[in-house]
Amino acid sequence: MPAQNQSSGNGLRLFLYWLVVGLPLVWGIWNTVLKLPALFK
Amino acid sequence: MGFFDRENTIAPPGYNRWLFPPAALAVHLSIGQAYAFSVFKLPLTKVIGVTASAPGDWTQPSLAWIFSLAIFFLGASAAVFGRWVERVGPRKTMFAAALCFGGGFIISAFGVWWHQLWIIYLGYGVLGGCGLGLGYISPVSTLVKWFPDRPGMATGMAIMGFGGGAFIGSNLSLLLMDRFKSATSTGVGESFVAMGAIYFCFMVFGSLIARVPADDWKPAGYQPATQPGKLITIANVAVDQASRTRQFWFLWVVLCFNVTAGIGILEQASPMIQEMFPGKVTVAAAGGFVALLSLFNMAGRFVWSSLSDYTGRKAIYVIYLLFGAALYCLIPFAGYSGSVIFFVSVCVIILSMYGGGFATIPAYLKDLFGVMQVGAIHGRLLTAWSVAGILGPVLVNYIRQYLKDQGASGVALYAPTMYLMSGLLVIGLICNLLVRPVDERFHFHGDKPRA
């Protein structure tokens, strides 16, 4: 595989892999952050 | 040569090392659900009565054993299977962890439907606990090999996932129980099945994308040290030799007491803030406090562990333990002062360092024992977590109950425990200060075995 193709393939995989693990984490953190205002009332 | 064999997972030249952390995170974000298991406790006490506990329903103390068993088997399986994990590599280990953790949920679902608690003990506690242990150590040595220049940051990132997994686990559990509950069911059994399937798929995703670096691979521009640093070895120590060194047992005590102290607060966070500030903190506010602690626990894992790459491991543990000991003594003072903000500020810093203590340990072990079997050594050290998982809650609960029986209330219910935790951290500090480089007689000489 030419170096340029391999590099762009790596970039796309990098984005997809991090998206797959990042989305649930952000969802979980966001739902937790929503509970915080009660502490500061 | 099978698809899951280590030899089949060696990364080709040009492979981007940042493709591996998502594999580690997929596993740790899944098994971090264990921190959120308490969400199921109340519904599990109403399996027969559905809307309220009925005669024959399980009690909270009997259900508490599920989590305790899981944490015990986390440490035990990490210790027993550590060498196997090093030999077969991350892909096979992550797949085995997925089978155990996902399977544990499915078996537990039958325990709920047939109302047999021992099946849940066996499912989530024993099998799921083994999944926790295998999953926890599966990416550690591979991360250290991919990031020899930043081992603290790399392992901190994965272990941060374990903290973050609690957020996903708690919200997902509530969502699923809400979806499956009916007039005749709390929805816990169905939720267990769904969670088993979801977590199995997510962990298998991690397993499939896991790659190990070739033996001669190193990051661009990175020059491995040719001379040992003050506390960073260039030699390797095999796992059986490591557990015979004083350094291993000093770090065992450090981890055990750091976790004992942290769990002591985490476990009692909600009742503690309400009892220390009666009339000032509502149940909802206490829920917000627990959420804030969890956020700092997670963030501390990445931030403190990354910082340790610059400060050195011993120095950062001096901060965790010395500063931590001082902060524990400040908790009663904050309670007596009546300042909720002061109290919350002290607690969040403590919890960030609790997480940091967890996340920095693999890099500390790598510094002292080399990278050869660091995952297996880490596995054995996790038995400290098993002990702390019982010691922390027991200390806080029993001392509080004893003081309550003596007529104490408010801050006085917790002050002695906080001073005790501070003392434990001081013992940990002394152990950390006693850590010296591992004697040469323990070093491994010969070709690198993987187990």
Side-chain angles (χ1 to χ4, degrees), chain B residues 251-273:
Chain B
L251 291 191
W252 195 96
V253 173
V254 166
L255 182 66
C256 183
F257 287 171
N258 188 50
V259 176
T260 299
I263 285 184
I265 286 200
L266 260 182
E267 232 264 329
Q268 281 293 322
S270 175
M272 186 163 75
I273 193 170

Side-chain angles (χ1 to χ4, degrees), chain B residues 83-109:
Chain B
R83 286 202 300 183
W84 178 77
V85 169
E86 291 290 344
R87 189 173 71 243
V88 303
R91 181 177 288 173
K92 193 178 270 186
T93 312
M94 288 174 179
F95 188 72
L99 283 174
C100 290
F101 194 62
F105 267 112
I106 306 291
I107 290 172
S108 298

Side-chain angles (χ1 to χ4, degrees), chain A residues 6 9-11 13-18 20-22 24-33 35-41, chain B residues 13-16 18-19 21-22 25-26 29 157 164 167-168 171-172 175 202 205 209 284-285 288-289 291-292 295 298 344:
Chain A
Q6 190 179 336
N10 261 341
R13 277 198 294 173
L14 201 62
F15 173 74
L16 288 174
Y17 288 4
W18 280 97
V20 169
V21 293
L25 180 60
V26 170
W27 174 78
I29 291 175
W30 176 245
N31 277 286
T32 306
V33 166
K35 294 173 188 160
L36 292 182
L39 177 62
F40 301 106
K41 266 182 188 166
Chain B
Y15 188 84
N16 187 329
W18 286 96
L19 289 166
L25 276 170
L29 286 171
M157 198 162 23
F167 301 133
I168 300 172
N171 290 301
L172 182 63
L175 195 77
F202 203 47
F205 163 74
I209 66 170
F289 174 58
L292 194 65
L295 283 170
M298 183 190 76
V344 170

Side-chain angles (χ1 to χ4, degrees), chain B residues 57-81:
Chain B
D57 255 324
W58 297 321
T59 61
Q60 291 240 14
S62 63
L63 291 168
W65 279 104
I66 302 170
F67 180 75
S68 298
L69 272 172
I71 294 297
F72 175 80
F73 276 91
L74 182 158
S77 61
V80 171
F81 295 112

